[in-house]
């Protein structure tokens, strides 16, 4: 039987410590959420398969450490990324103010061929907290920032109740697919990736 090949898409999630990067990834891949906080050390990834227009893809989603003392990622880690997900907490102004730094850091480390057109997606997380009464970053302010950076797609999410998580990752996948060059990285169908989960299928979005 002919082996079908899956194209590998590398997604990197960046943002301040505690904004919910790990939780967003777990909600998307495993449909699970935990209230407990466990700091990410270095980076960790989960994978998920998806089908888009008759082609199979494997999303390799890298969750990185927000805490400076746990950041130990070199240039090699960032290279080859197909989409970068910037994340902040809508209830914490400092996490929003850090976005410029995270974006710059990514562009320096990954040095994409066309930095002006590299796909970023912004997630404003924890919109569920206190029914939204404690938020300090308005949607308008976040969208203005996105516009100033070349119209980055923006989603307001809750990793806790799942609001917009599927939609956001569909958009992330679509942007990653569009960014992937003709020379593609493929995975054989039989590969067993350490640390990965058994993914579910889904299709990409219109974003
Ligand atoms: N209410 C609420 N809590 C959340 C949400 N997302 C994450 N949390 C909580 O926020 C805390 C931090 O979440 P993490 O996902 O570990 O944050 P992180 O950005 O990965 O943190 P680092 O590993 O330090 O970079 C945990 O206690 C989560 O349960 C959300 O959407 N709503």
């Amino acid at each position: 039987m002919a082996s079908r090949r899956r194209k590998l898409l590398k997604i990197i999630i960046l943002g301040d410590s505690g904004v919910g990067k790990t939780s967003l990834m777990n909600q998307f891949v495993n449909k699970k959420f935990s209230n407990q906080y466990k700091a990410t050390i270095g980076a960790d990834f989960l994978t998920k398969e998806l089908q888009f227009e008759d082609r199979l893809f494997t999303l390799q989603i890298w969750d990185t450490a927000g805490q400076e003392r746990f950041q130990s990622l070199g240039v090699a880690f960032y290279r080859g990324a197909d989409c970068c997900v910037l994340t902040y907490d809508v209830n914490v102004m400092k996490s929003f103010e850090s976005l410029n730094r995270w974006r710059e850091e990514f562009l320096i480390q990954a040095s994409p061929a066309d930095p002006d057109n590299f796909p970023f997606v912004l997630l404003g997380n924890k919109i569920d907290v206190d029914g939204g009464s404690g938020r300090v970053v308005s949607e308008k302010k976040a969208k203005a920032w996105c516009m100033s950076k070349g119209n980055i797609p923006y989603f307001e999410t809750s990793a806790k109740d799942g609001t917009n998580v599927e939609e956001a990752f569909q958009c992330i996948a679509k942007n990653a697919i569009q960014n992937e060059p003709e020379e593609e990285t493929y995975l054989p169908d039989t590969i067993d990736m350490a640390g990965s989960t058994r993914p579910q299928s889904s299709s990409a979005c219109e974003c």
Side-chain angles (χ1 to χ4, degrees):
M1 193 170 69
S3 159
R4 294 179 76 194
R5 294 192 302 170
R6 287 175 283 151
K7 190 167 162 186
L8 181 68
L9 299 170
K10 183 175 179 181
I11 316 292
I12 296 180
I13 312 180
L14 298 176
D16 278 5
S17 176
V19 298
K21 300 180 294 297
T22 304
S23 304
L24 285 160
M25 182 175 75
N26 274 328
Q27 177 62 258
F28 174 59
V29 177
N30 299 320
K31 301 277 176 276
K32 284 187 180 149
F33 175 79
S34 163
N35 276 311
Q36 280 186 334
Y37 171 56
K38 189 166 158 267
T40 303
I41 297 172
D44 204 359
F45 74 88
L46 291 177
T47 62
K48 182 157 171 163
E49 282 178 24
L50 63 88
Q51 188 170 346
F52 182 64
E53 292 174 354
D54 279 350
R55 294 161 72 202
L56 293 172
F57 296 91
T58 296
L59 283 188
Q60 185 184 61
I61 307 167
W62 284 92
D63 168 35
T64 61
Q67 280 192 48
E68 210 159 324
R69 64 193 167 121
F70 293 142
Q71 290 165 15
S72 55
L73 307 169
V75 168
F77 170 78
Y78 293 87
R79 292 268 160 86
D82 296 301
C83 182
C84 177
V85 182
L86 300 170
T87 309
Y88 76 99
D89 177 342
V90 299
N91 310 286
V92 179
M93 184 56 81
K94 190 178 162 296
S95 70
F96 180 72
E97 290 168 351
S98 298
L99 291 173
N100 281 325
R101 186 172 55 80
W102 286 113
R103 183 175 167 276
E104 285 304 311
E105 173 80 359
F106 176 83
L107 290 173
I108 290 167
Q109 300 281 352
S111 17
D114 186 2
D116 291 338
N117 291 308
F118 185 86
F120 288 91
V121 173
L122 179 65
L123 306 184
N125 192 39
K126 302 198 188 183
I127 57 166
D128 64 280
V129 173
D130 296 334
S133 59
R135 75 181 286 162
V136 294
V137 183
S138 67
E139 188 173 358
K140 192 175 164 197
K141 192 176 172 89
K143 283 185 170 168
W145 185 84
C146 288
M147 193 61 80
S148 75
K149 303 297 176 201
N151 210 4
I152 293 175
Y154 175 58
F155 292 86
E156 303 216 318
T157 58
S158 166
K160 185 171 186 172
D161 65 20
T163 302
N164 274 337
V165 173
E166 185 69 29
E167 291 84 347
F169 277 93
Q170 294 295 327
C171 178
I172 291 160
K174 188 176 176 192
N175 275 273
I177 290 166
Q178 285 168 352
N179 182 56
E180 183 74 0
E182 287 309 305
E183 289 166 31
E184 297 164 344
T185 310
Y186 282 103
L187 290 174
D189 238 11
T190 51
I191 197 163
D192 192 8
M193 301 172 76
S196 72
T197 62
R198 278 293 142 210
Q200 302 162 357
S201 291
S202 52
S203 57
C205 70
E206 296 291 323
C207 65

